[in-house]
Amino acid sequence: MEVYDLIIVGGGPAGITAGIYAQRARLKVVLLEKLGVGGQIVLSDDVENYPGFRSISGFELMQKFEEQARAFDLTIVDCEVTEIRNEDGYQLVQTHDYDYKTKTVIIASGARSRRLGVTGEEEFIGKGVSFCATCDGFFFRGKDVLVVGGGDSAITEALYLAKIVNKVYIVHRRSELRATKILQERALENPKIEVIWDSVVEEITGSNTVEGVTLRNVVTDELVEIAVSGVFMYVGLLPNTEFTDVEKDDSGFIITDMNLATSVAGVFAAGDCRTTALRQVATAVGDGALAVTSVERYLNS
Ligand code: NAP
């Protein structure tokens, strides 16, 4: 069986950066990606905080990442990793089609949108409930929509939706947003956006498609119904780490040391899938570069 120096799991900003660095380090490497290169950032309409680009769509940014990786002849294989396990001092990376034997692994498998778990959420997915304003915003042209959450994703996507729809309600469970200040300022100044503070979604209602939501004020317990055609969920992230049993935190994010080593020798983690204080393209890129440097040190030791 062929033995690789490095298998990279995931083709988002962290994984692609690791691929570029690994190719330049002349490692025998393959990057495995289950959904197509890019990661979650391809769903962002506008990225303004990745230096070098004043404003660029996440999709276009990741096309540039991929172009650069392919220019260094990085091999990218479309497949889903189902398990990583230690065997005779090597890591065996299992996919549906093939098993890869490797000296090291960088897990850069990212994260996905968390579900709220309220009545109507599952039922109306694709019928008014969405996790991607860039993908689905167009269908709500001229209508009223609700965005759930107060983080960077919720506010960025609310600002995007405000360019298309008639009105955007943001419902947030506290009286202060979590998002970066500049995004907060833009949202609060936008005449098409209204923030409903201290409130949570109790139920999403409708017949064939979403027609409204019931909100509960967490301070007064008062219930209100609002007529909306779309509900966009941005209530945080869940890590894509089910296929590995390296040490994780209570939420499933991978615990690493300062060199991005996990609890298993030869296995490293980079980007949104690991426990970290900040999840941005800029930090994922830094992780990808550092992880390869740590892999090289491990291989040479
Ligand atoms: P996040 O920062 O974890 O924010 C999740 C939001 O949902 C919070 O406001 C949270 O409220 C709320 N929430 C969580 N559970 C809830 C529940 N059960 N009911 C109601 N509300 C709930 O997630 P995110 O906005 O998806 O961002 C994820 C990461 O990506 C962050 O590190 C973020 O900085 C990054 N990101 C960056 C950019 C950018 O820089 N342009 C864009 C998008 C995302 P509380 O505030 O009360 O906890």
Side-chain angles (χ1 to χ4, degrees):
M1 193 178 196
E2 206 167 3
V3 177
Y4 290 86
D5 292 322
L6 170 64
I7 296 291
I8 299 167
V9 183
I16 294 284
T17 305
I20 292 169
Y21 273 70
Q23 280 295 106
R24 290 170 60 84
R26 300 291 186 237
L27 300 181
K28 186 173 166 56
V29 59
V30 170
L31 185 150
L32 310 177
E33 165 57 51
K34 72 169 176 180
L35 279 177
V37 167
Q40 289 183 104
I41 193 67
V42 299
L43 304 178
S44 282
D45 168 60
D46 191 17
V47 179
E48 285 187 336
N49 55 1
Y50 187 66
F53 300 92
R54 175 64 192 82
S55 165
I56 186 166
S57 77
F59 181 75
E60 200 186 338
L61 181 62
M62 292 319 296
Q63 276 187 323
K64 289 180 185 295
F65 272 52
E66 184 177 357
E67 264 168 41
Q68 191 165 347
R70 294 211 187 264
F72 285 110
D73 295 322
L74 176 66
T75 303
I76 300 173
V77 176
D78 294 337
C79 64
E80 180 170 359
V81 172
T82 52
E83 192 184 351
I84 301 175
R85 65 168 192 277
N86 206 314
E87 221 173 68
D88 304 329
Y90 291 95
Q91 300 301 324
L92 206 65
V93 179
Q94 275 189 341
T95 75
H96 287 303
D97 310 317
Y98 188 77
D99 293 349
Y100 293 85
K101 188 173 182 179
T102 179
K103 296 172 191 164
T104 66
V105 180
I106 294 175
I107 301 173
S109 46
R112 60 186 184 275
S113 304
R114 211 157 70 77
R115 301 278 163 98
L116 204 50
V118 295
T119 308
E121 183 181 28
E122 287 296 324
E123 182 189 343
F124 289 115
I125 287 176
K127 298 174 187 166
V129 169
S130 170
F131 299 84
C132 177
T134 317
C135 321
D136 301 329
F138 176 80
F139 300 114
F140 300 91
R141 186 173 292 273
K143 299 184 173 167
D144 293 354
V145 299
L146 182 95
V147 169
V148 189
D152 282 337
S153 299
I155 306 309
T156 305
E157 302 312 308
L159 287 164
Y160 171 73
L161 286 165
K163 293 186 231 163
I164 304 171
V165 304
N166 178 56
K167 174 154 187 147
V168 181
Y169 296 99
I170 297 174
V171 60
H172 184 43
R173 64 181 176 181
R174 294 187 288 135
S175 56
E176 197 184 336
L177 297 172
R178 177 185 290 275
T180 311
K181 287 286 184 294
I182 189 168
L183 295 174
Q184 293 193 27
E185 286 164 15
R186 288 179 191 167
L188 297 174
E189 282 165 9
N190 191 310
K192 280 187 164 183
I193 295 179
E194 179 182 336
V195 184
I196 303 172
W197 302 103
D198 294 318
S199 297
V200 292
V201 175
E202 285 286 295
E203 188 179 1
I204 300 167
T205 54
S207 42
N208 291 328
T209 58
V210 169
E211 289 167 11
V213 287
T214 305
L215 304 181
R216 182 173 58 84
N217 184 301
V218 294
V219 178
T220 62
D221 244 2
E222 187 191 350
L223 296 177
V224 288
E225 286 177 18
I226 296 185
V228 288
S229 308
V231 179
F232 290 83
M233 299 285 185
Y234 293 105
V235 292
L237 299 176
L238 286 177
N240 299 320
T241 56
E242 291 81 2
F243 55 84
T244 172
D245 54 10
V246 297
E247 195 185 346
K248 299 170 199 167
D249 66 19
D250 291 344
S251 305
F253 291 95
I254 296 171
I255 297 171
T256 62
D257 69 9
M258 62 186 286
N259 294 314
L260 307 185
T262 70
S263 58
V264 174
V267 180
F268 300 80
D272 283 5
C273 66
R274 75 180 187 93
T275 306
T276 174
L278 188 61
R279 295 192 171 87
Q280 308 272 305
V281 178
T283 51
V285 163
D287 273 12
L290 175 59
V292 173
T293 310
S294 299
V295 161
E296 284 187 276
R297 211 174 298 127
Y298 176 85
L299 290 172
N300 292 332
S301 67

